[in-house]
Amino acid sequence: MAYKTYQYQAEAVIREYVLSDPFIPYTSVLAGLFICKMAYDLTRFLSSFYFKGYSSLTKIQRLEWNNRGMSSVHAIFITFMSVYLVFFSDLFSDDIAKGLITFRSSNLSTFTLGVSVGYFISDLAMIFWLYPSLGGFEYIVHHALSLCAISYAMLTGEGQLYTYMVLISETTTPGINVRWYLDTAGMKRSSAYLVNGVIMFFAWLVARIILFLYLFYHVYLHYDQVMQMHITGYLLVFLVPSALAIMNLMWFGKIIKGLRKTLAKRQ
């Protein structure tokens, strides 16, 4: 009987505070920070047991190794949620009765964005802490833009559809991290490295090139609704995807160059 009482009290606290509308942005960000910490520590724990070369890595390499495990966990989570919310849920359907598509949100969509905000805060902090070991200026720009856009969509509920479209591009992150792992483990000449390069080419093409073209086309079709957003949201819808698209094209050029170099060595 006492157990049931405590259970009901715990559920009430979660409903009234953790998942209550006013608290969701804050509890979700804390959840994101906690998940990142757990993913980082779990990567370090598992790697020390199952990868013999982990102990021989330099301190910076081990930090980046663990950081990439953390970013992979976030990428898998946010890709799954973004694809579900954009393409399979009815939150962003063309049903006019649901209201303007640029103002739609739900507790689930807001909570998910908060988790992503927690990740970008964690990763950006590590980039600054170890600068430039985990990435140069372009990574700071990428994370800062992403953090601004995601935070705005989370706090206001505006433009969440386009935020999730951009976040689908995180599907390429695990592939990037696997490529770094293979390189660090001395497997740059392996078949796995070559296969990874080919997969990365097509994944990047779909998730970071074609998908962004679809995003801009969707904005064009719904421009009358985009115009009704606050000026801050209106600018973010255009500036952030445009800046990220330019960076994606630059990185795509490097992927093509690297893949061609790998294939040339094979031949």
Side-chain angles (χ1 to χ4, degrees), residues 239-253:
L239 293 181
V240 174
S242 298
L244 295 181
I246 293 172
M247 297 175 74
N248 288 339
L249 287 172
M250 292 171 58
W251 286 328
F252 190 52

Side-chain angles (χ1 to χ4, degrees), residues 39-240:
Y40 183 93
D41 290 341
L42 185 61
T43 302
R44 178 177 56 188
F45 176 77
L46 293 177
S47 298
S48 61
F49 274 94
Y50 296 104
F51 177 56
K52 295 180 180 179
Y54 181 79
S55 59
S56 62
L57 298 176
T58 65
K59 180 180 179 181
I60 294 298
Q61 284 179 322
R62 288 198 298 270
L63 288 171
E64 183 168 0
W65 184 286
N66 302 334
N67 175 270
R68 289 180 180 272
M70 177 185 77
S71 66
S72 295
V73 169
H74 166 262
I76 293 170
F77 166 77
I78 201 63
T79 297
F80 175 82
M81 294 303 300
S82 297
V83 170
Y84 166 73
L85 289 169
V86 173
F87 298 110
F88 295 99
S89 74
D90 60 352
L91 180 60
F92 303 116
S93 65
D94 290 328
D95 187 359
I96 302 177
K98 294 181 179 293
L100 299 180
I101 203 168
T102 51
F103 290 91
R104 295 184 198 172
S105 64
S106 67
N107 287 347
L108 177 61
S109 66
T110 300
F111 188 90
T112 302
L113 290 178
V115 172
S116 195
V117 168
Y119 160 73
F120 278 104
I121 291 174
S122 301
D123 205 35
L124 193 58
M126 290 197 68
I127 291 174
F128 278 121
W129 178 39
L130 300 170
Y131 188 85
S133 299
L134 295 185
F137 180 71
E138 68 275 12
Y139 284 90
I140 294 177
V141 173
H142 174 274
H143 278 42
L145 288 173
S146 300
L147 188 57
C148 288
I150 298 170
S151 298
Y152 180 85
M154 174 191 68
L155 293 172
T156 66
E158 289 187 12
Q160 289 196 2
L161 170 61
Y162 300 123
T163 303
Y164 276 114
M165 283 187 180
V166 172
L167 284 171
I168 291 176
S169 64
E170 283 293 303
T171 189
T172 61
T173 298
I176 296 171
N177 291 337
V178 168
R179 193 166 188 80
W180 184 88
Y181 286 138
L182 292 172
D183 188 8
T184 304
M187 299 176 64
K188 200 168 183 178
R189 295 183 178 274
S190 65
S191 299
Y193 192 83
L194 176 62
V195 172
N196 173 269
V198 175
I199 293 175
M200 277 301 305
F201 171 82
F202 288 105
W204 198 280
L205 178 63
V206 174
R208 292 187 180 257
I209 306 298
I210 296 176
L211 182 62
F212 272 68
L213 292 176
Y214 173 73
L215 184 153
F216 292 128
Y217 178 66
H218 193 282
V219 171
Y220 169 75
L221 292 179
H222 299 82
Y223 184 70
D224 58 325
Q225 299 185 40
V226 175
M227 285 183 62
Q228 299 186 48
M229 297 175 64
H230 186 274
I231 184 62
T232 303
Y234 177 85
L235 291 175
L236 287 174
V237 165
F238 288 97
L239 293 181
V240 174

